[in-house]
Amino acid sequence: MIELKNITKVYKRKNTSITALKNVDLKIEKGEIFGVIGYSGAGKSTLIRLVNYLEKPTEGQVIIEGTDLSSYTTNQLREKKKDIGMIFQHFNLLESKTVFDNVALPLVLSKRKKQEINERVNELLSFVGLEDKAKNYPNELSGGQKQRVGIARALASNPSILLCDEATSALDPQTTDSILNLLKKINEEYNITMLIITHEMDVVKQICHKVAVMEKGEIIEQGPVIELFGNP
Ligand code: ADP
Ligand code: ADP
């Protein structure tokens, strides 16, 4: 359901250009947890931004649910973006808003009714285990709790795809485990397709079904995690 076909991405600067991705091919099936692993500079963020409509490929096609993204108008893309949730290394929460309001934000932006927003946010907060933190502010939470808020916000619009950009890199190992378990539960209960970008092998081994290894803009290996890296 997410397909990248022969993608090349070149960033042009005044008198130089950087090839961030080169001939990248990958296919992520519905409901799969797909990991992309590589060192800093390998092209992982560029890859996620192509799937999230934030960048256009220089060459090649990004196909989501059978449609080439280049065939959408700007308005259609804006609408399609709601079907993709994203979580970040540094959580990207609004510090001046409560936990409740952070999670409600995507619903407020899409002009849902107040009662519907209340119900949905309370349901999400209880799903991520933060029902008693609704009135707290982000700076009153631990890193793991902040990421749970980020996850609840990302799920608010019922996306079918969740993009995770180094989502556990700022967390200690124990908190990382609990967040990975939550992601696993989301994948199992809602059949959400996940693209997980990481530089940590443990993350791939713990929850990914398939993995692509990136180096200098190219995928050097990809396949089932068990085949590439053995048992966890
Ligand atoms: P990763 O996420 O694996 O660290 P990135 O996709 O961020 O890799 O970067 C891949 C390459 O593209 C790097 O050489 C980086 O410097 C370059 N790059 C990324 N974004 C931009 C940009 N907006 N403009 C110019 N170069 C960029
Ligand atoms: P980080 O460096 O923490 O990984 P990025 O710099 O990659 O974060 O994020 C780029 C910006 O794009 C974010 O600040 C975020 O506000 C915005 N953004 C992109 N896609 C989404 C999305 N699906 N949901 C929320 N915000 C998004």
Side-chain angles (χ1 to χ4, degrees), residues 21-41:
L21 295 174
K22 206 171 154 190
N23 306 119
V24 166
D25 275 298
L26 62 84
K27 203 173 189 175
I28 306 175
E29 305 294 343
K30 170 90 187 138
E32 202 161 64
I33 306 183
F34 195 103
V36 175
I37 190 165
Y39 295 117
S40 180

Side-chain angles (χ1 to χ4, degrees), residues 45 48-49 52 54 81 84-92 153-154 163 165-166:
S45 304
I48 227 171
R49 289 203 299 271
N52 205 14
L54 293 172
K81 214 167 158 16
I84 300 188
M86 182 146 173
I87 59 174
F88 305 91
Q89 177 171 9
H90 299 296
F91 323 119
N92 294 12
R153 179 184 57 185
L163 305 177
D165 188 357
E166 297 283 1

Side-chain angles (χ1 to χ4, degrees), residues 1-230:
M1 65 136 16
I2 301 175
E3 210 179 340
L4 305 186
K5 274 191 173 168
N6 204 16
I7 297 280
T8 294
K9 176 70 187 178
V10 180
Y11 292 110
K12 288 208 168 59
R13 285 289 138 104
K14 273 175 198 147
N15 39 32
T16 53
S17 61
I18 296 169
T19 303
L21 295 174
K22 206 171 154 190
N23 306 119
V24 166
D25 275 298
L26 62 84
K27 203 173 189 175
I28 306 175
E29 305 294 343
K30 170 90 187 138
E32 202 161 64
I33 306 183
F34 195 103
V36 175
I37 190 165
Y39 295 117
S40 180
K44 307 184 297 297
S45 304
T46 300
L47 191 145
I48 227 171
R49 289 203 299 271
L50 288 168
V51 176
N52 205 14
Y53 318 121
L54 293 172
E55 296 277 1
K56 284 182 183 163
T58 309
E59 277 172 54
Q61 296 169 289
V62 182
I63 299 168
I64 296 184
E65 313 247 29
T67 308
D68 185 334
L69 297 192
S70 66
S71 70
Y72 287 125
T73 63
T74 310
N75 280 338
Q76 283 173 321
L77 276 181
R78 198 173 298 134
E79 213 34 53
K80 288 281 163 197
K81 214 167 158 16
K82 293 182 187 153
D83 196 38
I84 300 188
M86 182 146 173
I87 59 174
F88 305 91
Q89 177 171 9
H90 299 296
F91 323 119
N92 294 12
L93 303 179
L94 298 174
E95 296 293 332
S96 65
K97 287 192 181 288
T98 62
V99 165
F100 184 99
D101 288 340
N102 266 282
V103 176
L105 192 65
L107 302 170
V108 172
L109 291 176
S110 56
K111 301 194 169 62
R112 306 289 184 85
K113 293 209 176 68
K114 205 168 173 185
Q115 191 195 342
E116 186 195 338
I117 293 176
N118 279 337
E119 283 171 12
R120 179 73 181 138
V121 172
N122 288 324
E123 178 192 23
L124 287 160
L125 287 178
S126 108
F127 181 78
V128 301
L130 290 180
E131 55 273 79
D132 57 338
K133 298 287 182 194
K135 294 196 172 78
N136 288 85
Y137 287 85
N139 69 9
E140 300 170 319
L141 305 178
S142 69
Q145 289 170 334
K146 286 183 195 176
Q147 193 57 290
R148 285 170 189 271
V149 177
I151 290 170
R153 179 184 57 185
L155 296 179
S157 314
N158 266 319
S160 61
I161 297 170
L162 182 65
L163 305 177
C164 309
D165 188 357
E166 297 283 1
T168 56
S169 300
L171 305 174
D172 61 61
Q174 208 179 335
T175 311
T176 294
D177 278 353
S178 78
I179 293 296
L180 293 179
N181 284 332
L182 178 59
L183 292 176
K184 214 187 242 177
K185 176 171 132 183
I186 291 165
N187 171 259
E188 283 163 8
E189 287 190 23
Y190 300 109
N191 200 32
I192 293 184
T193 307
M194 294 188 185
L195 174 56
I196 293 188
I197 299 288
T198 185
H199 65 275
E200 297 170 300
M201 182 65 88
D202 284 347
V203 169
V204 170
K205 284 190 170 180
Q206 245 171 290
I207 67 165
C208 294
H209 305 130
K210 285 200 191 138
V211 62
V213 183
M214 288 196 72
E215 214 176 274
K216 296 178 185 153
E218 293 184 82
I219 293 179
I220 55 169
E221 235 181 322
Q222 69 173 309
V225 172
I226 292 179
E227 282 177 25
L228 262 67
F229 301 134

